[in-house]
Amino acid sequence: MDSGLVMELLIGALRMTAILGGPVIVTVLIVGIVIGALQSATQINEPAVAFVPKLLAVMLVMAVTGASTLGIFVDYVREMIIRIPQIAG
């Protein structure tokens, strides 16, 4: 296995990680910043106040983007399975 193939597989794996995790991470980041600003403005520091909106936002994002990201992931896994002989030999 040459270094070009290793780099190609590594870049593909990192790209897949960003595609699958990106929407959820960005959503949690945005909701966390908004909730943090609201908590500091109202001086309510209750952990449940921060957790519940993040949970609901993640559930919404997963419902909206779940089917498309699952399709992308299945295509990636199918491609990796097809490339096993190239990787092994």
Side-chain angles (χ1 to χ4, degrees):
M1 189 162 40
D2 63 340
S3 62
L5 181 60
V6 172
M7 289 303 294
E8 181 182 341
L9 294 174
L10 180 65
I11 290 170
L14 290 174
R15 180 177 170 266
M16 188 57 49
T17 302
I19 289 172
L20 294 177
V24 173
I25 292 173
V26 168
T27 301
V28 169
L29 176 68
I30 291 171
V31 171
I33 289 172
V34 169
I35 296 299
L38 289 174
Q39 280 184 332
S40 61
T42 60
Q43 296 181 353
I44 298 174
N45 291 327
E46 183 67 31
V49 173
F51 179 73
V52 173
K54 287 180 190 177
L55 180 65
L56 294 175
V58 167
M59 289 171 51
L60 179 67
V61 167
M62 291 298 290
V64 171
T65 64
S68 63
T69 56
L70 180 63
I72 293 169
F73 181 67
V74 168
D75 292 341
Y76 175 75
V77 170
R78 188 175 295 135
E79 178 185 335
M80 288 297 110
I81 290 173
I82 291 171
R83 293 181 71 177
I84 287 175
Q86 179 186 3
I87 295 169

